[in-house]
Amino acid sequence: MRKLIAPLLTVFLATGCSVLYKQPIYQGALVDPDNVSQLQAGMNRQQVSALLGTPSIQDPFHHDRWDYTATERVGRTGKTEIHNLVLFFEGDSLARWEGDYFPDRDKELIGNVRRQFGPNLPRQDSNRRR
């Protein structure tokens, strides 16, 4: 009986770790909202790529469409949230864009880390002397 107590205790403690903290899982392209606001109709593919980065999906059958897809899931069994920003080109110039993305994700992530770890993190102060 005593031989079973140590392995059972280890199993219960190991499974309890995932109950207390659920790590958010991000995959894909987190698009910066400032960069999306700078998009203009008529920009060429190179300008868009420099602004947003390479697309998550470049469909070989639809050369005039770029997809920036990102997913987020909290925990192993959490619901996966999917966001897709789609850009449409006519020839080499940007015609229009639609869809959604995670616009405030970076600010939210930084806020969560600061709340979790407190004042021990270095701050990025623009007034700091170097």
Side-chain angles (χ1 to χ4, degrees):
M1 184 67 171
R2 288 187 177 190
K3 291 181 180 180
L4 291 176
I5 292 175
L8 286 175
L9 184 61
T10 304
V11 168
F12 286 127
L13 290 175
T15 57
C17 293
S18 66
V19 173
L20 297 176
Y21 178 69
K22 296 189 185 281
Q23 174 69 33
I25 301 167
Y26 303 100
Q27 292 182 325
L30 288 178
V31 180
D32 188 0
D34 295 332
N35 292 343
V36 174
S37 67
Q38 294 178 25
L39 285 176
Q40 297 176 0
M43 294 176 83
N44 65 30
R45 292 175 191 260
Q46 186 176 6
Q47 290 171 322
V48 172
S49 182
L51 192 61
L52 298 179
T54 56
S56 304
I57 302 169
Q58 275 183 299
D59 190 348
F61 301 108
H62 301 99
H63 297 286
D64 294 336
R65 176 182 168 146
W66 284 5
D67 290 83
Y68 291 86
T69 303
T71 62
E72 174 189 21
R73 185 181 70 198
V74 178
R76 294 181 183 185
T77 60
K79 180 183 174 193
T80 302
E81 187 177 344
I82 301 171
H83 290 264
N84 195 26
L85 177 67
V86 183
L87 280 62
F88 296 96
F89 292 88
E90 289 179 0
D92 190 41
S93 62
L94 180 63
R96 62 185 173 89
W97 56 95
E98 62 187 39
D100 57 353
Y101 50 97
F102 293 105
D104 298 323
R105 189 58 67 212
D106 289 337
K107 293 175 188 174
E108 184 181 322
L109 287 174
I110 291 169
N112 287 343
V113 169
R114 290 222 185 271
R115 276 193 302 277
Q116 210 169 24
F117 296 105
N120 297 331
L121 290 175
R123 297 193 182 273
Q124 294 180 347
D125 294 331
S126 59
N127 299 331
R128 192 171 79 184
R129 294 182 186 164
R130 293 176 192 223

